[in-house]
Amino acid sequence: MGPVKAAAGDLVLTFMWVFVSSTFGVLTTEIASALGVHGLVWPPMLITTAIVFVFVFIFNIIGDALGGASFNPTGTAAFYAVGVGSDSLLSMALRFPAQAAGAVGGALAIMEYMPPKYKHMLGGPSLQVDLHTGAIAEGVLTFLITFAVLVIMLKGPQSNILKTWLVAVATVVLIVTGSAYTGPSMNPANAFGWAYVNKWHDTWDQFYVYWICPFIGAVAASMIFRVVFPPPAPARPAKKKKKN
């Protein structure tokens, strides 16, 4: 697939992901209330994990239908760094802005169509600590989720369902862990979309915490992955026997 088509697919998928994922908190609250477990600790986390699992599974299918589209720039960079996929520097230069634009569209759309009684639950990731602590936290969290995804997807179980469940569990655990620091995002496009809505998308804080450090974390995870799981050495061509 050409770079332009890849970027178009990313724009559409990221728009859909930001729109849908913004409802996860509302869905968790409503399901927990219906089950009578609202206010407890573990049941809502399990509900959120199940919701993430279902939608990640669906979006994997949609992404494949769009030719391998992605909604996370750090994921795109990480798979490129480990040598998976057909991306080039040109395709990534087109895909990253497309993902950011899709995220802006998704955030604006969900703000428009979310019922008023739930709008207070929207807002996206936000910095809860000082700038450098937040930057380190976002970088470390992105490193962990990237390394986990690489191991699960490339070296994990054969079952796509089990892979998706493990990714969902890792995602929810890290979101809960990072909630007191940066939100967290672990996805620069998603963070940019909500920063645009909240009018701080063009600040150094947003660029430093939600773009630079996540990319450093993702690339570092890719490098560690290549050390732990080195690619197989290319087969040497067989030597031709000399004729007497």
Side-chain angles (χ1 to χ4, degrees):
M1 185 172 61
V4 174
K5 287 185 177 180
D10 283 1
L11 187 150
V12 172
L13 193 72
T14 308
F15 173 93
M16 296 170 62
W17 175 255
V18 172
F19 185 93
V20 170
S21 63
S22 300
T23 68
F24 288 174
V26 175
L27 291 173
T28 298
T29 299
E30 291 299 312
I31 294 172
S33 298
L35 296 176
V37 296
H38 185 66
L40 301 178
V41 177
W42 292 107
M45 284 186 63
L46 292 175
I47 293 169
T48 301
T49 303
I51 292 170
V52 172
F53 163 75
V54 170
F55 281 100
V56 169
F57 187 81
I58 293 171
F59 271 74
N60 283 342
I61 296 173
I62 298 173
D64 289 342
L66 291 173
S70 170
F71 52 77
N72 190 335
T74 58
T76 303
F79 280 100
Y80 172 79
V82 297
V84 176
S86 58
D87 269 308
S88 64
L89 293 177
L90 173 60
S91 66
M92 289 194 296
L94 295 175
R95 295 182 73 176
F96 294 163
Q99 289 164 337
V104 170
L108 291 172
I110 193 63
M111 286 294 293
E112 180 70 24
Y113 291 102
M114 178 65 78
K117 69 176 182 177
Y118 295 124
K119 282 192 175 180
H120 69 282
M121 301 179 70
L122 300 176
S126 60
L127 195 59
Q128 308 293 324
V129 291
D130 67 88
L131 183 63
H132 297 301
T133 301
I136 293 170
E138 193 69 17
V140 170
L141 290 167
T142 307
F143 171 89
L144 293 173
I145 191 61
T146 301
F147 188 78
V149 169
L150 289 173
V151 171
I152 292 167
M153 300 305 295
L154 301 180
K155 299 295 180 180
Q158 294 296 317
S159 170
N160 287 332
I161 293 177
L162 184 54
K163 284 182 179 181
T164 305
W165 175 254
L166 292 174
V167 169
V169 170
T171 301
V172 173
V173 168
L174 291 176
I175 287 174
V176 173
T177 302
S179 60
Y181 294 92
T182 57
S185 176
M186 302 179 290
N187 182 336
N190 177 66
F192 180 82
W194 285 107
Y196 182 88
V197 171
N198 295 318
K199 303 186 185 307
W200 69 292
H201 60 288
D202 55 354
T203 65
W204 165 248
D205 292 7
Q206 206 277 331
F207 186 62
Y208 175 44
V209 175
Y210 293 103
W211 282 90
I212 295 177
C213 289
F215 270 107
I216 293 174
V219 172
S222 303
M223 298 306 173
I224 297 298
F225 179 86
R226 288 179 67 93
V227 171
V228 177
F229 303 103
R236 294 182 179 179
K239 293 183 179 179
K240 294 182 178 180
K241 293 182 178 181
K242 292 183 180 180
K243 294 182 180 180
N244 294 329

